[in-house]
C-alpha cells in the first residue's frame, strides 16, 4: 500500500511540474524550421519583452497592398546578453527580415536575421554567442603562441 501511495505522489508531482512547460509553446509546432522567408518593410513597433521580444512591421507587396507582419524573437534576457536593447530596432526603420515562417502561412515568422537600410546586420543570440566564443578561443591561442 505504501508503494502505491508513493507512486501516486510521484506521478502527481510530475504532472503538476509538467504544466508550466506545456503552457509555453515549442518552436516546431508553430514554425517551419526547414524554410526561410524574407520580407522587407517598415517597423511599426518593437517590444523588448519576455518571454519573446516581438516586432510588428508593415510589408507592402508588389500590388501595393500593405500586410501587417509579426516577427517573434528570443526573450529579452537572451537578446540582452549579446547587446540588444529596447532601442536596437526603432519604429519607422525600413528593414529586411529573414526568418522561419509558420506552418499555417500566416504573416508571422521567427527571427533569424535583420538587415538595416545601411547594410548592418542584427543576428539572434545563438550565432553571436558562437562568434564571440570562437573569437575568445582564437585570442587565447594567439596569447599562448606568443608567450612561448
Amino acid at each position: 500500500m505504501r508503494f502505491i501511495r508513493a507512486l501516486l505522489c510521484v506521478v502527481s508531482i510530475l504532472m503538476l511540474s509538467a504544466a508550466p512547460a506545456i503552457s509555453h509553446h515549442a518552436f516546431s509546432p508553430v514554425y517551419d524550421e526547414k524554410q526561410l522567408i524574407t520580407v522587407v518593410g517598415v517597423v511599426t513597433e518593437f517590444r523588448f519583452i519576455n518571454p519573446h521580444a516581438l516586432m510588428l512591421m508593415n510589408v507592402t507587396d508588389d500590388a501595393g497592398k500593405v500586410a501587417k507582419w509579426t516577427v517573434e524573437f528570443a526573450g529579452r534576457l537572451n537578446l540582452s546578453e549579446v547587446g540588444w536593447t529596447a532601442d536596437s530596432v526603432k519604429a519607422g526603420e525600413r528593414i529586411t527580415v529573414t526568418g522561419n515562417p509558420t506552418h499555417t502561412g500566416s504573416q508571422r515568422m521567427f527571427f533569424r536575421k535583420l538587415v538595416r537600410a545601411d547594410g548592418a546586420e542584427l543576428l539572434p543570440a545563438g550565432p553571436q554567442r558562437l562568434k564571440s566564443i570562437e573569437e575568445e578561443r582564437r585570442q587565447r591561442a594567439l596569447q599562448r603562441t606568443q608567450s612561448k
Side-chain angles (χ1 to χ4, degrees):
M1 192 66 171
R2 279 186 175 168
F3 177 75
I4 293 174
R5 284 185 191 167
L7 183 63
L8 285 173
C9 184
V10 169
V11 169
S12 298
I13 290 170
L14 288 174
M15 288 176 60
L16 289 172
S17 65
I22 293 170
S23 67
H24 188 84
H25 71 83
F27 178 86
S28 2
V30 179
Y31 299 103
D32 185 348
E33 65 184 310
K34 294 178 184 171
Q35 289 189 45
L36 286 176
I37 59 170
T38 300
V39 296
V40 178
V42 176
V43 176
T44 57
E45 186 176 357
F46 179 63
R47 297 181 193 158
F48 195 57
I49 58 173
N50 278 321
H52 297 280
L54 290 173
M55 180 176 65
L56 307 175
M57 60 189 291
N58 289 333
V59 176
T60 306
D61 66 15
D62 294 335
K65 184 179 176 189
V66 176
K68 297 189 182 306
W69 276 77
T70 300
V71 181
E72 185 175 348
F73 295 78
R76 178 181 179 162
L77 177 61
N78 290 348
L79 293 172
S80 64
E81 284 180 350
V82 292
W84 286 61
T85 68
D87 295 325
S88 290
V89 182
K90 295 188 178 5
E93 188 174 358
R94 183 165 185 75
I95 58 167
T96 302
V97 181
T98 300
N100 301 104
T102 62
H103 290 289
T104 62
S106 65
Q107 294 164 335
R108 184 178 186 97
M109 73 168 76
F110 191 85
F111 169 76
R112 294 293 173 208
K113 181 171 89 170
L114 183 149
V115 180
R116 292 195 161 109
D118 66 0
E121 291 184 353
L122 291 177
L123 298 171
Q128 287 183 3
R129 275 193 200 127
L130 291 176
K131 285 180 184 179
S132 68
I133 290 169
E134 283 302 313
E135 182 58 31
E136 286 176 23
R137 287 180 182 156
R138 277 193 282 280
Q139 292 299 323
R140 284 195 304 265
L142 182 62
Q143 288 171 354
R144 281 193 303 269
T145 310
Q146 290 174 347
S147 66
K148 288 183 180 180

